[in-house]
């Protein structure tokens, strides 16, 4: 079910294909949310809230499809290429795996990795009286628990959630631009996701007083199956173009305090000719100047100058007599 390469027939079509083509700096990753053949109301509420939290970079597909991600990835690969989405969330429900949610990523039109969670409880956005976060704002993502550093499944889930919630890639951001916090906590078997609004209040100093207020949705999951990417696919997906790599600066290093130290290579300097402060006591006489001329010129020229200087001095003496 691979998509055949398309050719543009109009200018708009050409711009559309250029936007989908690979780039040195890729576009913001899009998220595709879709349902299986059987779903529940709790899954519908959760996916609707996730579309609002990750908007405007998410697309919610309402049509149900017969898909089994861990058995056959072709339908998801076809839809991801069609929607130009490198991230996906799939929701399904059956007796063996109730309220099932699959978080996954694709690379080069193929499924890269997936993590399957079971939605155990949900309090949607409607259950909170607070206002939600602004569309397209940058969140502060916090992961609590040792499992996110040691367990391979949780490390994989952490990477996927960061890709889903990070939004646009920016170089600079103001303090007021971070308006909400996403807290992900795990005890090894269960994962809890909470959303909080950041409220900045006056504290009488330069740093404001920070308060957190829960805005929802509040969801609890249990960890189920997972599929990791192969080593070859993982290396290819994480490979960085040579043109984007930072060039190493020669003769520079950083000390313990983080200061940058540089080494400059210079030619040998003559400190006798170094310009210093002009003081009468340090003023050079005619003999010192003569020696300087001797050092700076060829030996024959120095001898000629010395003889001419001696002749001048004898003439002056004779003239005085």
């Amino acid at each position: 079910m691979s998509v055949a390469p398309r050719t543009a027939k109009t200018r708009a079509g050409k711009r559309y294909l250029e936007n989908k083509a690979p780039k040195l700096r890729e576009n913001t990753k899009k998220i595709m949310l879709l349902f299986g053949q059987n779903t529940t109301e709790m899954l519908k509420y959760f996916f609707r809230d996730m579309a609002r939290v990750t908007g405007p970079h998410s697309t919610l597909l309402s049509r149900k499809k017969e898909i089994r991600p861990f058995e056959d990835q072709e339908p998801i690969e076809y839809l991801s290429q069609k929607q130009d989405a490198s991230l996906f969330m799939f929701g399904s429900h059956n007796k063996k795996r109730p309220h099932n949610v699959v978080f996954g990523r694709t690379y080069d039109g193929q499924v890269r990795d997936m993590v399957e969670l079971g939605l155990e409880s949900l309090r949607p956005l409607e259950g909170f009286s607070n206002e939600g976060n602004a569309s397209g704002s940058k969140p502060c993502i916090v992961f609590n628990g040792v499992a996110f550093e040691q367990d391979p499944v949780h490390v994989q889930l952490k990477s996927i959630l960061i890709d889903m919630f990070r939004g646009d890639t920016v170089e600079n951001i103001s303090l007021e631009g971070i308006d909400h916090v996403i807290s992900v906590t795990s005890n090894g078997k269960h994962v809890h996701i909470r959303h909080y609004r950041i409220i900045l209040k006056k504290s009488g100093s330069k740093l404001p007083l920070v308060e957190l207020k829960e805005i929802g949705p509040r969801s609890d999951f249990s960890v189920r199956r997972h599929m990791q990417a192969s080593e070859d696919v993982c290396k290819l997906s994480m490979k960085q173009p040579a043109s984007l790599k930072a060039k190493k600066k020669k003769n520079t290093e950083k000390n313990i305090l983080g200061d940058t130290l540089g080494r400059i290579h210079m030619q040998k300097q003559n400190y006798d000719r170094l310009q210093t402060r002009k003081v009468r006591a340090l003023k050079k006489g005619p003999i010192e100047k003569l020696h300087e001329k001797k050092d700076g010129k060829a030996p024959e020229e120095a001898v000629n100058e010395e003889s001419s200087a001696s002749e001048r001095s004898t003439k002056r003496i004779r003239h005085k007599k």
Side-chain angles (χ1 to χ4, degrees), residues 213-254:
K213 200 170 187 179
E214 191 171 1
I215 58 175
R218 181 194 299 175
S219 52
D220 300 320
F221 299 91
S222 59
V223 182
R224 292 177 181 172
R225 297 180 294 176
H226 73 284
M227 186 190 80
Q228 290 186 348
S230 61
E231 292 185 3
D232 298 337
V233 175
C234 189
K235 287 182 180 179
L236 284 173
S237 61
M238 298 178 67
K239 187 176 180 180
Q240 189 177 8
S243 58
L244 294 180
K245 291 183 179 179
K247 294 182 180 180
K248 187 178 180 181
K249 295 182 179 180
K250 296 182 179 179
N251 302 323
T252 58
E253 58 183 3
K254 288 191 176 182

Side-chain angles (χ1 to χ4, degrees), residues 101-158:
V101 181
V102 178
F103 298 86
R105 294 180 288 192
T106 62
Y107 171 73
D108 196 16
Q110 297 180 354
V111 175
R112 183 186 183 275
D113 53 357
M114 295 182 292
V115 176
E116 186 181 66
L117 304 177
L119 183 60
E120 295 185 345
S121 63
L122 173 70
R123 186 179 176 185
L125 288 171
E126 296 177 355
F128 296 87
S129 58
N130 305 314
E131 296 181 359
N133 57 289
S135 178
S137 60
K138 297 289 290 184
C140 177
I141 308 174
V142 182
F143 290 90
N144 306 307
V146 185
F148 288 113
E149 302 294 335
Q150 299 178 355
D151 185 32
V153 181
H154 284 75
V155 172
Q156 182 182 0
L157 177 62
K158 176 183 177 180

Side-chain angles (χ1 to χ4, degrees), residues 271-317:
Y271 295 104
D272 295 332
R273 296 184 178 182
L274 188 66
Q275 180 65 42
T276 57
R277 186 179 177 185
K278 294 182 179 179
V279 185
R280 282 191 176 184
L282 300 176
K283 191 174 181 180
K284 297 178 181 178
I287 300 174
E288 293 177 350
K289 291 181 180 180
L290 183 62
H291 285 296
E292 283 185 358
K293 290 181 181 180
K294 288 180 184 179
D295 297 337
K297 295 184 179 182
E300 295 179 358
E301 296 178 358
V303 172
N304 294 333
E305 284 188 1
E306 188 174 357
S307 60
S308 61
S310 61
E311 289 176 0
R312 289 171 192 167
S313 61
T314 54
K315 286 180 180 180
R316 288 174 184 172
I317 294 168

Side-chain angles (χ1 to χ4, degrees), residues 159-174:
S159 178
I160 294 174
L161 292 178
I162 289 175
D163 282 347
M164 286 193 170
F165 293 123
R166 68 184 304 173
D168 296 317
T169 303
V170 295
E171 296 181 357
N172 300 317
I173 187 171
S174 63

Side-chain angles (χ1 to χ4, degrees), residues 94-98 224:
N94 54 47
K95 188 176 180 180
K96 188 176 181 180
R97 296 183 181 88
R224 292 177 181 172

